[in-house]
Amino acid sequence: MGFPSVLTMAQRLAAERLAPGSAAIDATAGGGVDTLFLARQTGPRGRVLAFDVQEEALARTRLRLEEARAAGEALAEVTLVPAGHERMEEYVPAELHGRIRAVMFNLGYLPGSDSPVITRPETTLPALEAALRLLAPGGVLTAVLYPGHPGGDEEARAVERWMAELPDAAARTVLYCFPQKEKAPYLVALEKRQNTRPV
Ligand code: SAH
């Protein structure tokens, strides 16, 4: 059978907390796989915002959503935001602050692109902080980390440290990795506590 991949595991953690009509964020639209997944899970009454700094990524995501709609799938309303995820609080409507059920990050490069654009700790860490504030109590944040490329290792360690240092009263955190594969992508996730004071 094999263990689920890190991407599958991230989707499972998100799916468990999403219901028809939920609101969710894809913090790194990339090829749009997670955006489509969130739009399916939350359905026609749901709301999804997807962020990316590259037009190519948003175009790929738009195409993926259009193809699914053309095939008759009932998807959430999706807003593609051409801005960095560190600014997500500016773009998420006020009525959804504190009501987001899932935020998914998939860091690193846009696969199959020549572009040097890459996620960076200077913006990734503020984005994680913003995502935690936006989450509903009981909501989940997932981040797939890529230690295998230059800069990716430092970013992965910075994100892991950020997770490890979160106060227990704010969130519970978990790590999913394949310890025999040192440079393989791995997943960190957090669940916001039910009864937290604002963080
Ligand atoms: N490494 C993954 C894919 C990651 S895609 C894989 O191999 O499957 C990561 C996306 O994050 C890219 O499309 C990139 O443009 C985007 N990105 C980079 N910096 C960003 C930022 N500050 N805010 C939002 N998206 C960003």
Side-chain angles (χ1 to χ4, degrees):
M1 246 199 71
F3 294 114
S5 72
V6 290
L7 298 171
T8 299
M9 191 56 119
Q11 291 191 346
R12 283 194 193 172
L13 293 177
E16 284 172 4
R17 278 123 187 127
L18 293 169
S22 295
I25 295 174
D26 186 348
T28 48
V33 173
D34 287 333
T35 306
L36 176 58
F37 161 77
L38 292 170
R40 281 179 176 145
Q41 292 294 315
T42 58
R45 289 184 301 109
R47 192 72 206 279
V48 176
L49 289 98
F51 292 82
D52 209 290
V53 291
Q54 296 194 78
E55 186 45 48
E56 184 185 348
L58 294 173
R60 284 199 215 171
T61 302
R62 191 175 300 116
L63 184 64
R64 197 181 284 277
L65 294 168
E66 279 167 9
E67 284 173 354
R69 287 206 176 92
E73 288 200 53
L75 303 180
E77 180 189 340
V78 180
T79 308
L80 300 178
V81 185
H85 42 217
E86 63 280 6
R87 296 174 61 199
M88 64 172 80
E89 282 168 301
E90 293 171 45
Y91 290 92
V92 173
E95 69 270 19
L96 295 180
H97 285 219
R99 296 212 156 81
I100 303 292
R101 299 293 310 167
V103 185
M104 301 183 77
F105 288 79
N106 190 2
L107 301 178
Y109 293 95
L110 178 62
S113 162
D114 299 335
S115 159
V117 174
I118 187 177
T119 56
R120 298 184 179 280
E122 309 88 85
T123 42
T124 301
L125 295 178
L128 293 170
E129 298 274 357
L132 179 55
R133 287 191 291 269
L134 289 169
L135 277 181
V140 73
L141 183 163
T142 64
V144 177
L145 310 177
Y146 293 81
H149 63 76
D153 198 19
E154 291 82 67
E155 184 180 43
R157 276 189 274 115
V159 172
E160 223 185 293
R161 198 175 324 115
W162 180 82
M163 289 268 177
E165 289 173 357
L166 276 179
D168 191 60
R172 263 208 191 122
T173 63
V174 71
L175 175 67
Y176 179 71
C177 68
F178 295 83
Q180 293 157 305
K181 297 186 179 171
E182 203 193 335
K183 294 287 178 192
Y186 64 103
L187 169 71
V188 291
L190 70 78
E191 182 179 67
K192 188 164 170 174
R193 288 284 195 183
Q194 291 286 349
N195 301 309
T196 52
R197 284 174 287 134
V199 287

